[in-house]
Amino acid sequence: MTTEQSEIDPSVPPSGAGCAECDPAGGWWVHLRRCARCGHVGCCDSSPAQHATAHFRATGHPVIQSFEPGEEWFWDYRTDQPLDGPELAPPTAHPVDQTVPGPADRVPADWRSHVH
Ligand SMILES: [Zn+2]
Ligand SMILES: [Zn+2]
């Protein structure tokens, strides 16, 4: 087993349909990333709060998979490189009717001035 594979647990379902930190706080995000180790769903580096990267810094869980519909890529924060990963427990993306940025009812009109 390689280091990369030991950082991935395909049996863990995602934490939810939205960012685990933004959603209860009433926040919004651009894209979502899923921790391949513990299922934490966090917002991407374009989002105002960047919780996916914060999760890596806080936990050391280094591998994420895109949680966007139709995207299957994995990313390793340690190397800043993509990597290949297994099929993770479903669902592997947020609902297709959830907007980008989203959720639609929380995204401010001037959202472009808040993204990174
Ligand atoms: Zn967030
Ligand atoms: Zn994690």
Side-chain angles (χ1 to χ4, degrees):
M1 181 178 270
T2 68
T3 304
E4 283 72 23
Q5 285 169 335
S6 71
E7 301 292 358
I8 296 173
D9 185 346
S11 70
V12 181
S15 60
C19 173
E21 279 88 19
C22 289
D23 216 7
W28 60 276
W29 50 81
V30 181
H31 296 120
L32 294 173
R33 310 297 181 224
R34 169 191 185 167
C35 175
R37 176 76 169 275
C38 73
H40 172 274
V41 173
C43 49
C44 72
D45 283 349
S46 296
S47 305
Q50 304 180 320
H51 284 123
T53 298
H55 177 73
F56 161 61
R57 294 212 180 98
T59 64
H61 297 167
V63 180
I64 53 167
Q65 185 183 38
S66 177
F67 202 54
E68 294 302 310
E71 294 186 0
E72 296 182 350
W73 52 263
F74 288 80
W75 186 261
D76 189 331
Y77 282 111
R78 296 166 300 182
T79 59
D80 278 333
Q81 295 290 327
L83 77 163
D84 292 326
E87 179 88 8
L88 300 183
T92 57
H94 65 72
V96 291
D97 61 357
Q98 185 173 294
T99 59
V100 177
D105 58 343
R106 296 190 208 143
V107 179
D110 64 342
W111 65 270
R112 282 185 179 80
S113 67
H114 297 282
V115 300
H116 297 275

